[in-house]
Every structure is written in C-alpha cells, then in structure tokens.
C-alpha cells in the first residue's frame, strides 16, 4: 500500500488585511524610489476598522504624500465603504514618519549590511517555476480570486480571502492534490452553496485542468468558506499589519525562514535583498542542473559588507559536491549588499507587486531570471 506524506501551504488574497498593509508599505517604498533611488525606507502599516496608521523611518529627498499613497492602494484593491465595510478614500489615516537612525545609516553608507540576520533561498523541480507545488497552487488560487472578482463583479466576490492546498507526496515527489480550502469574502446575502458554485466554476475549474497531472482518481477534498458566511472582511473584520505573512511571502513552509519580513524595506536591508539573492542563486543551481533541490542560507552582520556565512544544501540531489557548488557561487555572484543591489537592479519602484501572490516564482521579478554558471 502506498504511503503518502501530506504537506500544506496557504496563501492570501491581495485584499487580505495583512497583505493590504504590505502593499501600502511597499507602495510608499515605490513612491520614494521613483523620485530618489537612494532613498532609505523602513515603513510599517497597521489597518483596523475605519483607521489606518503608516509609521516608520524614511530618509529621502523625494516629496511624497504618504497618506494619498495609502488611500490609493486601498481604493485600488477595491476597499470602498459601500461594498466592503472599509473605505480607503475616507477612513482616518495617520502618518508617523521619522528619519532613519544615523548610526544605522553610517554602517550602510560604507557598504555594510543594514542589519544582522540570516536569509534563506529555495528551489526545486516540483513546478515549472522551480517552486514548491503547494505554495504555487495556493498563490494561483488567490490570484484567480482577485482576477475573477475584478472582471466579473456580478458574481459577488469581495477582496478578502485565503487559500490552502495540501499535496500528497510519494517518495519526496508530489503525487496528487489531496485537499483545497478556499475562503472568500462575498456580498451580503450569498449562501455558502452559491459561493461554492462560483469558486468551483470560476476559480478552480481552469486551475485543476492546468494541474491535471496532480489530480488523481480520488476526489479532492474541497472546503469553501467552511465557517459559513464571510460578508465582513478586510480591516473591518480583522486588523492588518505589515510583515505578518512571511511564510506566504516565501515558500509556504517548505524551506526554512530567517524570520525577517520584506515589505516596506528598501534594498539596503538584507532581510529583503539577500533573501531575493538567495532565491536567485538556489533557482539557478537547479536550473543549471547542479541539483534537483537546493536551499541556501546567507548570514550578515550589521555594517559588514561580506556575508559571515554561506551554506548550500542540496538534500542529496546534487550532481556535484556541495563545496564545489559553493565555489561556483562565490565566483559567480557578489554577495555584498551593494553587489546584490547592483546585480538585481533593486533601486527601482518594483515592490508593490511583490506584496501580492508571493515574492517568488513570478518571472517579472529580476531574481527569477535564469543565468548560466
């Protein structure tokens, strides 16, 4: 009898309150970088019923209306009072922005890392994107929820939502989709059966055709809004905060995580830029057929340019010894903060789009490009 191991990952929609907060923080970063590529940003957003708070440190020559940036993001996602219980255009919005600590700036200005910490990158052959299957399918569900909501408003979907995907693995390889959970905010008065019908027809039907090789003869266990009604969502239903979805943002729990959030941080913060570089390296190790699976850890000390450690793990799938792969990496890539920023061209307003549907596995981002060793 075949014995499967089950692994689960979740994603959230762009209208989830934590993701809304992430996008506001990254929209602030983009607005600064659009005028001042060397601007320093470390911004957090908190959202609750009828109120928003944007706070942090910004050092820049740019002139930015931070309040309007926040309102535009919320309204653009679809948060208007008459549909969602949270009005991006008219809620109370408080801005508390200070300058960055000069002691931190001193270390960064000399080329050092903006903070200490460790960052992980990961890649495997489970999907075309060289990402774990559970998180990629979960992201595609939440992406589809947003696309259908905007294209077909008559269906009654609203911005807030979540997905969860459980994959059955056999001998370490994805075998079939075991369980899918979809929770989506909807207009008042829709029954659970109506929401389930929309999800099956407009969200899952085409996706399951795309991933048909993972659909087995056994029925997929499907749960749609398992608690019943989901009429109140977004900040009206739950407080949102920047940086609370770090596993959604990365590999869905399949790889280790250093603990640092991404959104609202400019690329001098290695929490963000080094995690992007680690993904780039891991992906290219797999893409260049040096391994079928790879995890890389980078670690930095504040104010120090070179990483204090670099660790490559190929989980016994390497086609060459790990120390040889590490040598190739050290010769191919500059892992100083400045080297990473220059190589990936990170001083550009590209970040708001990273704060929805995960930071990895999307070809539009520079760290997803494949290169030869």
């Amino acid at each position: 009898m075949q014995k499967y191991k089950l692994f689960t990952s979740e994603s959230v929609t762009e209208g989830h309150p934590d993701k809304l907060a992430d996008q506001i923080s990254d929209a602030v970063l983009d607005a600064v970088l659009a005028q001042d590529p060397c601007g320093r940003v470390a911004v957090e957003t908190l959202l609750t019923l009828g109120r928003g708070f944007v706070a942090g440190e910004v050092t820049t020559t740019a002139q930015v209306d931070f309040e309007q940036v926040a309102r535009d993001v919320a309204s653009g996602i679809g948060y208007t009072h008459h549909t969602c219980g949270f009005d991006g255009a008219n809620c109370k919005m408080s801005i508390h922005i200070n300058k960055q600590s000069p002691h931190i700036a001193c270390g960064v200005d000399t080329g050092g890392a903006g903070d200490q910490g460790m960052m992980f990158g990961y890649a495997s052959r489970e999907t075309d994107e060289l990402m774990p299957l559970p998180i990629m399918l979960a992201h595609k569900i939440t992406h589809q929820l947003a696309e259908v909501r905007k294209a077909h408003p008559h269906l009654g979907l609203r911005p807030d939502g979540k997905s969860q995907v459980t994959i059955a693995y056999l001998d370490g390889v994805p075998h079939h989709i075991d369980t899918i959970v979809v929770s989506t905010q909807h207009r008042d008065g829709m029954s659970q059966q109506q929401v389930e019908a929309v999800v099956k027809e407009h969200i899952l039907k085409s996706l399951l055709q795309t991933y048909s090789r993972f659909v087995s003869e056994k029925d997929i266990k499907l749960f749609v809004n398992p608690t019943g009604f989901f009429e109140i969502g977004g900040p009206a239903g739950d407080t949102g905060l920047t940086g609370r979805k770090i596993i959604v943002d990365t590999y869905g729990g399949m790889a280790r995580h250093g603990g640092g959030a991404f959104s609202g941080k400019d690329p001098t913060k290695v929490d963000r830029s080094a995690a992007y570089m680690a993904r780039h390296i891991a992906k290219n190790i797999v893409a260049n057929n040096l391994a079928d699976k790879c995890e890389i850890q980078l670690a930095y000390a504040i104010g120090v340019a070179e990483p204090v450690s670099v660790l490559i793990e190929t989980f016994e799938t390497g086609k060459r010894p790990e120390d040889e792969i590490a040598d190739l990496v050290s010769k191919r890539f500059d892992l100083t903060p400045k080297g990473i920023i220059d190589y990936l061209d990170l001083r550009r307003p590209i970040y708001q789009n990273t704060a929805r549907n995960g930071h990895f596995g999307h070809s539009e981002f520079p760290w997803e490009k494949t290169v030869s060793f």
Side-chain angles (χ1 to χ4, degrees):
M1 182 177 179
Q2 293 176 316
K3 189 171 184 179
Y4 299 108
K5 290 186 176 181
L6 303 181
F7 190 90
T8 302
S9 295
E10 72 159 347
S11 183
V12 298
T13 64
E14 63 180 20
H16 185 281
D18 291 332
K19 273 290 128 198
L20 175 57
D22 284 343
Q23 288 169 85
I24 289 173
S25 296
D26 273 339
V28 168
L29 172 59
D30 282 349
V32 169
L33 293 180
Q35 299 180 41
D36 178 12
C38 292
R40 303 274 172 71
V41 177
V43 166
E44 318 288 340
T45 301
L46 183 147
L47 303 164
T48 189
L49 177 61
R51 299 211 65 171
F53 302 84
V54 180
E57 295 79 45
V58 175
T59 302
T60 183
T61 59
Q63 299 296 313
V64 177
D65 185 340
F66 298 115
E67 180 178 335
Q68 193 59 50
V69 168
R71 294 188 185 282
D72 288 347
V73 172
S75 298
I77 287 173
Y79 277 109
T80 55
H81 180 72
H82 70 282
T83 58
C84 303
F86 180 82
D87 187 352
N90 297 300
C91 67
K92 295 180 180 179
M93 190 69 67
S94 301
I95 308 297
H96 305 275
I97 301 292
N98 305 302
K99 285 191 175 182
Q100 186 183 51
S101 162
H103 302 292
I104 295 176
C106 181
V108 175
D109 289 341
T110 58
D115 203 352
Q116 70 177 43
M118 66 281 192
M119 304 84 210
F120 289 91
Y122 182 84
S124 74
R125 295 197 185 281
E126 292 186 19
T127 63
D128 293 341
E129 299 88 355
L130 303 185
M131 285 282 291
L133 177 60
I135 190 65
M136 284 310 300
L137 183 51
H139 284 326
K140 289 181 187 293
I141 292 171
T142 53
H143 173 75
Q144 188 74 352
L145 281 169
E147 293 296 298
V148 169
R149 168 176 62 87
K150 293 172 183 177
H152 305 286
H154 66 280
L155 293 175
L157 301 183
R158 296 293 184 252
D160 197 358
K162 287 184 173 184
S163 68
Q164 186 171 286
V165 174
T166 301
I167 300 296
Y169 284 77
L170 183 63
D171 298 327
V173 177
H175 186 270
H176 64 268
I177 302 167
D178 182 85
T179 306
I180 295 176
V181 182
V182 180
S183 296
T184 179
Q185 186 186 8
H186 56 83
R187 69 167 176 254
D188 293 355
M190 288 183 72
S191 69
Q192 188 176 25
Q193 291 73 26
Q194 288 174 311
V195 176
E196 182 171 339
V198 170
V199 168
K200 284 182 175 180
E201 178 64 26
H202 297 276
I203 308 302
L204 296 180
K205 184 177 180 179
S206 61
L207 284 176
L208 292 179
Q209 290 172 349
T210 301
Y211 287 88
S212 60
R213 65 190 184 278
F214 298 113
V215 177
S216 72
E217 294 179 358
K218 292 179 59 179
D219 289 338
I220 296 172
K221 294 189 284 290
L222 175 63
F223 301 93
V224 177
N225 285 11
T227 60
F229 296 112
F230 188 177
E231 295 173 349
I232 300 173
D238 192 11
T239 299
L241 183 64
T242 300
R244 261 203 312 215
K245 288 292 177 283
I246 61 175
I247 302 304
V248 170
D249 284 344
T250 52
Y251 307 100
M254 185 66 77
R256 288 173 285 190
H257 196 294
F262 299 154
S263 292
K265 298 177 181 179
D266 73 76
T268 66
K269 280 71 172 176
V270 286
D271 272 347
R272 181 169 219 161
S273 55
Y276 291 168
M277 192 64 177
R279 160 63 179 170
H280 181 70
I281 295 169
K283 180 177 181 178
N284 277 284
I285 287 172
V286 174
N288 281 274
N289 202 34
L290 296 173
D292 293 328
K293 184 187 300 184
C294 180
E295 183 183 75
I296 178 170
Q297 184 201 57
L298 304 176
Y300 291 84
I302 188 168
V304 179
E306 295 288 344
V308 298
S309 68
V310 178
L311 175 65
I312 292 175
E313 170 65 67
T314 60
F315 307 96
E316 299 183 351
T317 70
K319 308 303 190 292
R320 299 173 67 171
E322 289 171 351
D323 57 347
E324 288 186 19
I325 297 174
D327 287 341
L328 289 173
V329 168
S330 65
K331 293 174 182 176
R332 181 67 175 81
F333 301 107
D334 181 348
L335 298 180
T336 65
K338 182 180 184 304
I340 293 171
I341 290 168
D342 291 345
Y343 175 78
L344 295 177
D345 193 14
L346 295 179
R347 295 191 185 276
R348 298 178 290 142
I350 60 173
Y351 295 101
Q352 185 180 345
N353 283 344
T354 68
R356 57 171 77 97
N357 304 308
H359 292 244
F360 305 125
H362 309 293
S363 59
E364 66 187 280
F365 302 134
W367 45 92
E368 294 296 322
K369 294 179 180 178
T370 54
V371 298
S372 60
F373 278 80

